PDB file of all heavy atoms in Angstrom:
ATOM      1  N   ILE O   1     -51.236 106.121 -12.649  1.00  0.00           N
ATOM      2  CA  ILE O   1     -50.105 105.556 -12.033  1.00  0.00           C
ATOM      3  C   ILE O   1     -50.491 104.911 -10.761  1.00  0.00           C
ATOM      4  O   ILE O   1     -49.571 104.227 -10.088  1.00  0.00           O
ATOM      5  CB  ILE O   1     -48.974 106.569 -11.840  1.00  0.00           C
ATOM      6  CG1 ILE O   1     -49.499 107.782 -11.069  1.00  0.00           C
ATOM      7  CG2 ILE O   1     -48.421 106.995 -13.183  1.00  0.00           C
ATOM      8  CD1 ILE O   1     -48.926 107.895  -9.693  1.00  0.00           C
ATOM      9  N   ASN O   2     -51.649 105.016 -10.253  1.00  0.00           N
ATOM     10  CA  ASN O   2     -52.129 104.310  -9.034  1.00  0.00           C
ATOM     11  C   ASN O   2     -53.581 104.073  -9.200  1.00  0.00           C
ATOM     12  O   ASN O   2     -54.430 104.855  -8.719  1.00  0.00           O
ATOM     13  CB  ASN O   2     -51.866 105.186  -7.778  1.00  0.00           C
ATOM     14  CG  ASN O   2     -52.319 104.485  -6.488  1.00  0.00           C
ATOM     15  OD1 ASN O   2     -52.669 103.247  -6.549  1.00  0.00           O
ATOM     16  ND2 ASN O   2     -52.298 105.190  -5.335  1.00  0.00           N
ATOM     17  N   PRO O   3     -53.969 102.984  -9.908  1.00  0.00           N
ATOM     18  CA  PRO O   3     -55.392 102.816 -10.214  1.00  0.00           C
ATOM     19  C   PRO O   3     -56.309 102.586  -9.065  1.00  0.00           C
ATOM     20  O   PRO O   3     -57.552 102.697  -9.249  1.00  0.00           O
ATOM     21  CB  PRO O   3     -55.200 101.457 -11.119  1.00  0.00           C
ATOM     22  CG  PRO O   3     -53.908 101.423 -11.583  1.00  0.00           C
ATOM     23  CD  PRO O   3     -53.071 101.978 -10.535  1.00  0.00           C
ATOM     24  N   SER O   4     -55.797 102.349  -7.862  1.00  0.00           N
ATOM     25  CA  SER O   4     -56.718 102.256  -6.750  1.00  0.00           C
ATOM     26  C   SER O   4     -57.038 103.644  -6.279  1.00  0.00           C
ATOM     27  O   SER O   4     -58.044 103.726  -5.396  1.00  0.00           O
ATOM     28  CB  SER O   4     -56.009 101.436  -5.575  1.00  0.00           C
ATOM     29  OG  SER O   4     -54.877 102.147  -5.113  1.00  0.00           O
ATOM     30  N   LEU O   5     -56.386 104.773  -6.740  1.00  0.00           N
ATOM     31  CA  LEU O   5     -56.631 106.053  -6.279  1.00  0.00           C
ATOM     32  C   LEU O   5     -57.659 106.765  -7.178  1.00  0.00           C
ATOM     33  O   LEU O   5     -57.465 106.739  -8.321  1.00  0.00           O
ATOM     34  CB  LEU O   5     -55.421 106.838  -6.171  1.00  0.00           C
ATOM     35  CG  LEU O   5     -55.531 108.296  -5.723  1.00  0.00           C
ATOM     36  CD1 LEU O   5     -55.922 108.422  -4.210  1.00  0.00           C
ATOM     37  CD2 LEU O   5     -54.192 108.987  -5.840  1.00  0.00           C
ATOM     38  N   TYR O   6     -58.730 107.332  -6.671  1.00  0.00           N
ATOM     39  CA  TYR O   6     -59.740 108.061  -7.426  1.00  0.00           C
ATOM     40  C   TYR O   6     -59.865 109.599  -7.001  1.00  0.00           C
ATOM     41  O   TYR O   6     -59.570 109.850  -5.739  1.00  0.00           O
ATOM     42  CB  TYR O   6     -61.052 107.424  -7.256  1.00  0.00           C
ATOM     43  CG  TYR O   6     -61.232 106.005  -7.792  1.00  0.00           C
ATOM     44  CD1 TYR O   6     -60.825 104.845  -7.004  1.00  0.00           C
ATOM     45  CD2 TYR O   6     -61.687 105.771  -9.173  1.00  0.00           C
ATOM     46  CE1 TYR O   6     -60.993 103.575  -7.555  1.00  0.00           C
ATOM     47  CE2 TYR O   6     -61.742 104.475  -9.575  1.00  0.00           C
ATOM     48  CZ  TYR O   6     -61.418 103.448  -8.856  1.00  0.00           C
ATOM     49  OH  TYR O   6     -61.559 102.134  -9.248  1.00  0.00           O
ATOM     50  N   LEU O   7     -60.128 110.309  -7.924  1.00  0.00           N
ATOM     51  CA  LEU O   7     -60.406 111.797  -7.700  1.00  0.00           C
ATOM     52  C   LEU O   7     -61.957 111.946  -7.497  1.00  0.00           C
ATOM     53  O   LEU O   7     -62.698 111.607  -8.389  1.00  0.00           O
ATOM     54  CB  LEU O   7     -59.970 112.687  -8.713  1.00  0.00           C
ATOM     55  CG  LEU O   7     -58.328 112.605  -8.981  1.00  0.00           C
ATOM     56  CD1 LEU O   7     -57.981 113.671  -9.967  1.00  0.00           C
ATOM     57  CD2 LEU O   7     -57.552 112.674  -7.670  1.00  0.00           C
ATOM     58  N   VAL O   8     -62.426 112.488  -6.429  1.00  0.00           N
ATOM     59  CA  VAL O   8     -63.875 112.602  -6.127  1.00  0.00           C
ATOM     60  C   VAL O   8     -64.197 114.062  -5.750  1.00  0.00           C
ATOM     61  O   VAL O   8     -63.496 114.662  -5.042  1.00  0.00           O
ATOM     62  CB  VAL O   8     -64.204 111.646  -4.995  1.00  0.00           C
ATOM     63  CG1 VAL O   8     -65.716 111.688  -4.735  1.00  0.00           C
ATOM     64  CG2 VAL O   8     -63.773 110.284  -5.141  1.00  0.00           C
ATOM     65  N   LYS O   9     -65.312 114.467  -6.406  1.00  0.00           N
ATOM     66  CA  LYS O   9     -65.922 115.841  -5.954  1.00  0.00           C
ATOM     67  C   LYS O   9     -67.259 115.492  -5.159  1.00  0.00           C
ATOM     68  O   LYS O   9     -68.169 114.882  -5.701  1.00  0.00           O
ATOM     69  CB  LYS O   9     -66.300 116.543  -7.285  1.00  0.00           C
ATOM     70  CG  LYS O   9     -67.207 117.795  -7.047  1.00  0.00           C
ATOM     71  CD  LYS O   9     -66.504 118.857  -6.345  1.00  0.00           C
ATOM     72  CE  LYS O   9     -67.301 120.220  -6.262  1.00  0.00           C
ATOM     73  NZ  LYS O   9     -68.504 120.100  -5.479  1.00  0.00           N
ATOM     74  N   TYR O  10     -67.081 115.792  -3.902  1.00  0.00           N
ATOM     75  CA  TYR O  10     -68.187 115.508  -2.989  1.00  0.00           C
ATOM     76  C   TYR O  10     -69.252 116.673  -2.980  1.00  0.00           C
ATOM     77  O   TYR O  10     -68.817 117.819  -3.168  1.00  0.00           O
ATOM     78  CB  TYR O  10     -67.730 115.233  -1.483  1.00  0.00           C
ATOM     79  CG  TYR O  10     -67.027 113.877  -1.398  1.00  0.00           C
ATOM     80  CD1 TYR O  10     -65.698 113.743  -1.380  1.00  0.00           C
ATOM     81  CD2 TYR O  10     -67.820 112.776  -1.333  1.00  0.00           C
ATOM     82  CE1 TYR O  10     -65.065 112.470  -1.271  1.00  0.00           C
ATOM     83  CE2 TYR O  10     -67.266 111.456  -1.210  1.00  0.00           C
ATOM     84  CZ  TYR O  10     -65.914 111.376  -1.187  1.00  0.00           C
ATOM     85  OH  TYR O  10     -65.313 110.151  -1.057  1.00  0.00           O
ATOM     86  N   ASP O  11     -70.436 116.381  -2.823  1.00  0.00           N
ATOM     87  CA  ASP O  11     -71.527 117.362  -2.844  1.00  0.00           C
ATOM     88  C   ASP O  11     -71.248 118.398  -1.730  1.00  0.00           C
ATOM     89  O   ASP O  11     -70.942 117.983  -0.588  1.00  0.00           O
ATOM     90  CB  ASP O  11     -72.875 116.696  -2.645  1.00  0.00           C
ATOM     91  CG  ASP O  11     -73.230 115.770  -3.700  1.00  0.00           C
ATOM     92  OD1 ASP O  11     -72.514 115.635  -4.742  1.00  0.00           O
ATOM     93  OD2 ASP O  11     -74.246 114.984  -3.659  1.00  0.00           O
ATOM     94  N   GLY O  12     -71.251 119.629  -2.046  1.00  0.00           N
ATOM     95  CA  GLY O  12     -71.122 120.743  -1.044  1.00  0.00           C
ATOM     96  C   GLY O  12     -69.672 120.985  -0.635  1.00  0.00           C
ATOM     97  O   GLY O  12     -69.454 121.838   0.216  1.00  0.00           O
ATOM     98  N   ILE O  13     -68.674 120.266  -1.257  1.00  0.00           N
ATOM     99  CA  ILE O  13     -67.282 120.413  -0.890  1.00  0.00           C
ATOM    100  C   ILE O  13     -66.582 120.981  -2.157  1.00  0.00           C
ATOM    101  O   ILE O  13     -66.785 120.416  -3.304  1.00  0.00           O
ATOM    102  CB  ILE O  13     -66.650 119.125  -0.534  1.00  0.00           C
ATOM    103  CG1 ILE O  13     -67.397 118.552   0.725  1.00  0.00           C
ATOM    104  CG2 ILE O  13     -65.225 119.299  -0.230  1.00  0.00           C
ATOM    105  CD1 ILE O  13     -67.274 119.350   1.955  1.00  0.00           C
ATOM    106  N   ASP O  14     -65.760 122.148  -1.949  1.00  0.00           N
ATOM    107  CA  ASP O  14     -65.170 122.696  -3.115  1.00  0.00           C
ATOM    108  C   ASP O  14     -63.852 122.023  -3.514  1.00  0.00           C
ATOM    109  O   ASP O  14     -63.360 122.132  -4.651  1.00  0.00           O
ATOM    110  CB  ASP O  14     -64.887 124.146  -2.864  1.00  0.00           C
ATOM    111  CG  ASP O  14     -66.166 124.904  -2.656  1.00  0.00           C
ATOM    112  OD1 ASP O  14     -67.198 124.527  -3.278  1.00  0.00           O
ATOM    113  OD2 ASP O  14     -66.172 125.939  -1.906  1.00  0.00           O
ATOM    114  N   CYS O  15     -63.100 121.343  -2.588  1.00  0.00           N
ATOM    115  CA  CYS O  15     -61.941 120.651  -2.856  1.00  0.00           C
ATOM    116  C   CYS O  15     -62.247 119.354  -3.633  1.00  0.00           C
ATOM    117  O   CYS O  15     -63.300 118.670  -3.507  1.00  0.00           O
ATOM    118  CB  CYS O  15     -61.180 120.280  -1.597  1.00  0.00           C
ATOM    119  SG  CYS O  15     -60.697 121.658  -0.532  1.00  0.00           S
ATOM    120  N   VAL O  16     -61.252 118.900  -4.378  1.00  0.00           N
ATOM    121  CA  VAL O  16     -61.239 117.623  -4.987  1.00  0.00           C
ATOM    122  C   VAL O  16     -60.438 116.644  -4.074  1.00  0.00           C
ATOM    123  O   VAL O  16     -59.244 116.941  -3.636  1.00  0.00           O
ATOM    124  CB  VAL O  16     -60.588 117.554  -6.407  1.00  0.00           C
ATOM    125  CG1 VAL O  16     -60.499 116.123  -6.939  1.00  0.00           C
ATOM    126  CG2 VAL O  16     -61.394 118.511  -7.292  1.00  0.00           C
ATOM    127  N   TYR O  17     -61.047 115.519  -3.655  1.00  0.00           N
ATOM    128  CA  TYR O  17     -60.334 114.606  -2.783  1.00  0.00           C
ATOM    129  C   TYR O  17     -59.782 113.417  -3.555  1.00  0.00           C
ATOM    130  O   TYR O  17     -60.318 112.936  -4.606  1.00  0.00           O
ATOM    131  CB  TYR O  17     -61.383 114.086  -1.732  1.00  0.00           C
ATOM    132  CG  TYR O  17     -61.746 114.983  -0.673  1.00  0.00           C
ATOM    133  CD1 TYR O  17     -62.740 114.746   0.299  1.00  0.00           C
ATOM    134  CD2 TYR O  17     -61.088 116.288  -0.575  1.00  0.00           C
ATOM    135  CE1 TYR O  17     -63.162 115.596   1.282  1.00  0.00           C
ATOM    136  CE2 TYR O  17     -61.546 117.225   0.428  1.00  0.00           C
ATOM    137  CZ  TYR O  17     -62.517 116.866   1.293  1.00  0.00           C
ATOM    138  OH  TYR O  17     -62.813 117.757   2.346  1.00  0.00           O
ATOM    139  N   GLY O  18     -58.668 112.906  -3.023  1.00  0.00           N
ATOM    140  CA  GLY O  18     -57.970 111.667  -3.610  1.00  0.00           C
ATOM    141  C   GLY O  18     -58.153 110.574  -2.578  1.00  0.00           C
ATOM    142  O   GLY O  18     -57.596 110.654  -1.545  1.00  0.00           O
ATOM    143  N   LEU O  19     -58.878 109.602  -2.996  1.00  0.00           N
ATOM    144  CA  LEU O  19     -59.068 108.433  -2.008  1.00  0.00           C
ATOM    145  C   LEU O  19     -59.038 107.092  -2.678  1.00  0.00           C
ATOM    146  O   LEU O  19     -59.441 106.930  -3.946  1.00  0.00           O
ATOM    147  CB  LEU O  19     -60.548 108.506  -1.389  1.00  0.00           C
ATOM    148  CG  LEU O  19     -60.708 109.679  -0.365  1.00  0.00           C
ATOM    149  CD1 LEU O  19     -62.171 109.994  -0.117  1.00  0.00           C
ATOM    150  CD2 LEU O  19     -60.001 109.415   0.865  1.00  0.00           C
ATOM    151  N   GLU O  20     -58.564 106.099  -1.978  1.00  0.00           N
ATOM    152  CA  GLU O  20     -58.551 104.735  -2.507  1.00  0.00           C
ATOM    153  C   GLU O  20     -59.857 104.083  -2.101  1.00  0.00           C
ATOM    154  O   GLU O  20     -60.041 103.537  -0.918  1.00  0.00           O
ATOM    155  CB  GLU O  20     -57.353 103.936  -1.898  1.00  0.00           C
ATOM    156  CG  GLU O  20     -55.984 104.480  -2.478  1.00  0.00           C
ATOM    157  CD  GLU O  20     -54.850 103.596  -2.079  1.00  0.00           C
ATOM    158  OE1 GLU O  20     -54.972 102.763  -1.155  1.00  0.00           O
ATOM    159  OE2 GLU O  20     -53.795 103.767  -2.779  1.00  0.00           O
ATOM    160  N   LEU O  21     -60.911 104.342  -2.872  1.00  0.00           N
ATOM    161  CA  LEU O  21     -62.262 104.019  -2.485  1.00  0.00           C
ATOM    162  C   LEU O  21     -62.477 102.596  -2.086  1.00  0.00           C
ATOM    163  O   LEU O  21     -63.335 102.304  -1.220  1.00  0.00           O
ATOM    164  CB  LEU O  21     -63.233 104.484  -3.640  1.00  0.00           C
ATOM    165  CG  LEU O  21     -63.306 105.902  -3.922  1.00  0.00           C
ATOM    166  CD1 LEU O  21     -64.159 106.149  -5.187  1.00  0.00           C
ATOM    167  CD2 LEU O  21     -63.916 106.670  -2.721  1.00  0.00           C
ATOM    168  N   HIS O  22     -61.780 101.638  -2.671  1.00  0.00           N
ATOM    169  CA  HIS O  22     -61.978 100.230  -2.474  1.00  0.00           C
ATOM    170  C   HIS O  22     -61.094  99.675  -1.293  1.00  0.00           C
ATOM    171  O   HIS O  22     -61.262  98.584  -0.833  1.00  0.00           O
ATOM    172  CB  HIS O  22     -61.843  99.347  -3.619  1.00  0.00           C
ATOM    173  CG  HIS O  22     -62.763  99.703  -4.723  1.00  0.00           C
ATOM    174  ND1 HIS O  22     -64.167  99.450  -4.628  1.00  0.00           N
ATOM    175  CD2 HIS O  22     -62.668 100.169  -5.977  1.00  0.00           C
ATOM    176  CE1 HIS O  22     -64.673  99.802  -5.784  1.00  0.00           C
ATOM    177  NE2 HIS O  22     -63.849 100.265  -6.611  1.00  0.00           N
ATOM    178  N   ARG O  23     -60.108 100.498  -0.873  1.00  0.00           N
ATOM    179  CA  ARG O  23     -59.082 100.039   0.059  1.00  0.00           C
ATOM    180  C   ARG O  23     -59.185 100.805   1.307  1.00  0.00           C
ATOM    181  O   ARG O  23     -58.734 100.270   2.453  1.00  0.00           O
ATOM    182  CB  ARG O  23     -57.726 100.167  -0.503  1.00  0.00           C
ATOM    183  CG  ARG O  23     -57.436  99.245  -1.688  1.00  0.00           C
ATOM    184  CD  ARG O  23     -56.012  99.382  -2.157  1.00  0.00           C
ATOM    185  NE  ARG O  23     -55.704  98.355  -3.248  1.00  0.00           N
ATOM    186  CZ  ARG O  23     -54.456  98.234  -3.719  1.00  0.00           C
ATOM    187  NH1 ARG O  23     -53.490  98.948  -3.250  1.00  0.00           N
ATOM    188  NH2 ARG O  23     -54.212  97.369  -4.623  1.00  0.00           N
ATOM    189  N   ASP O  24     -59.481 102.040   1.438  1.00  0.00           N
ATOM    190  CA  ASP O  24     -59.403 102.778   2.627  1.00  0.00           C
ATOM    191  C   ASP O  24     -60.382 102.326   3.669  1.00  0.00           C
ATOM    192  O   ASP O  24     -61.576 102.304   3.401  1.00  0.00           O
ATOM    193  CB  ASP O  24     -59.728 104.321   2.243  1.00  0.00           C
ATOM    194  CG  ASP O  24     -59.321 105.266   3.347  1.00  0.00           C
ATOM    195  OD1 ASP O  24     -59.474 104.950   4.516  1.00  0.00           O
ATOM    196  OD2 ASP O  24     -58.799 106.339   2.992  1.00  0.00           O
ATOM    197  N   GLU O  25     -59.868 101.913   4.831  1.00  0.00           N
ATOM    198  CA  GLU O  25     -60.807 101.399   5.860  1.00  0.00           C
ATOM    199  C   GLU O  25     -61.589 102.300   6.579  1.00  0.00           C
ATOM    200  O   GLU O  25     -62.572 101.915   7.233  1.00  0.00           O
ATOM    201  CB  GLU O  25     -59.860 100.532   6.810  1.00  0.00           C
ATOM    202  CG  GLU O  25     -59.168  99.382   6.205  1.00  0.00           C
ATOM    203  CD  GLU O  25     -58.306  98.659   7.240  1.00  0.00           C
ATOM    204  OE1 GLU O  25     -58.077  99.165   8.327  1.00  0.00           O
ATOM    205  OE2 GLU O  25     -58.001  97.530   6.924  1.00  0.00           O
ATOM    206  N   ARG O  26     -61.458 103.558   6.280  1.00  0.00           N
ATOM    207  CA  ARG O  26     -62.349 104.662   6.867  1.00  0.00           C
ATOM    208  C   ARG O  26     -63.591 104.775   6.002  1.00  0.00           C
ATOM    209  O   ARG O  26     -64.577 105.385   6.579  1.00  0.00           O
ATOM    210  CB  ARG O  26     -61.605 106.030   6.894  1.00  0.00           C
ATOM    211  CG  ARG O  26     -60.385 106.018   7.892  1.00  0.00           C
ATOM    212  CD  ARG O  26     -59.529 107.250   7.608  1.00  0.00           C
ATOM    213  NE  ARG O  26     -58.943 107.193   6.308  1.00  0.00           N
ATOM    214  CZ  ARG O  26     -58.056 108.168   5.748  1.00  0.00           C
ATOM    215  NH1 ARG O  26     -57.740 109.144   6.612  1.00  0.00           N
ATOM    216  NH2 ARG O  26     -57.651 108.102   4.516  1.00  0.00           N
ATOM    217  N   ILE O  27     -63.549 104.223   4.783  1.00  0.00           N
ATOM    218  CA  ILE O  27     -64.758 104.261   3.965  1.00  0.00           C
ATOM    219  C   ILE O  27     -65.676 103.126   4.251  1.00  0.00           C
ATOM    220  O   ILE O  27     -65.118 101.925   4.130  1.00  0.00           O
ATOM    221  CB  ILE O  27     -64.341 104.346   2.511  1.00  0.00           C
ATOM    222  CG1 ILE O  27     -63.588 105.735   2.211  1.00  0.00           C
ATOM    223  CG2 ILE O  27     -65.559 104.165   1.567  1.00  0.00           C
ATOM    224  CD1 ILE O  27     -63.065 105.761   0.833  1.00  0.00           C
ATOM    225  N   LEU O  28     -66.844 103.295   4.649  1.00  0.00           N
ATOM    226  CA  LEU O  28     -67.852 102.267   4.963  1.00  0.00           C
ATOM    227  C   LEU O  28     -68.983 102.176   3.961  1.00  0.00           C
ATOM    228  O   LEU O  28     -69.544 103.109   3.636  1.00  0.00           O
ATOM    229  CB  LEU O  28     -68.384 102.570   6.399  1.00  0.00           C
ATOM    230  CG  LEU O  28     -67.339 102.735   7.459  1.00  0.00           C
ATOM    231  CD1 LEU O  28     -68.073 103.104   8.813  1.00  0.00           C
ATOM    232  CD2 LEU O  28     -66.463 101.588   7.728  1.00  0.00           C
TER     233      LEU O  28
END
């Protein structure tokens, strides 16, 4: 329902994060 939003499991982190990987300006 929001194709720009991805669920990501980061190494060493137990939570699942929801991020707009191509849009979020904090992601470099």
Side-chain angles (χ1 to χ4, degrees):
I1 57 108
N2 181 9
S4 64
L5 182 66
Y6 294 87
L7 302 187
V8 184
K9 168 69 171 69
Y10 286 102
D11 299 353
I13 304 295
D14 296 329
C15 298
V16 176
Y17 287 173
L19 290 165
E20 295 190 341
L21 293 173
H22 297 296
R23 293 184 175 183
D24 197 318
E25 294 184 343
R26 297 167 296 182
I27 293 175
L28 308 176

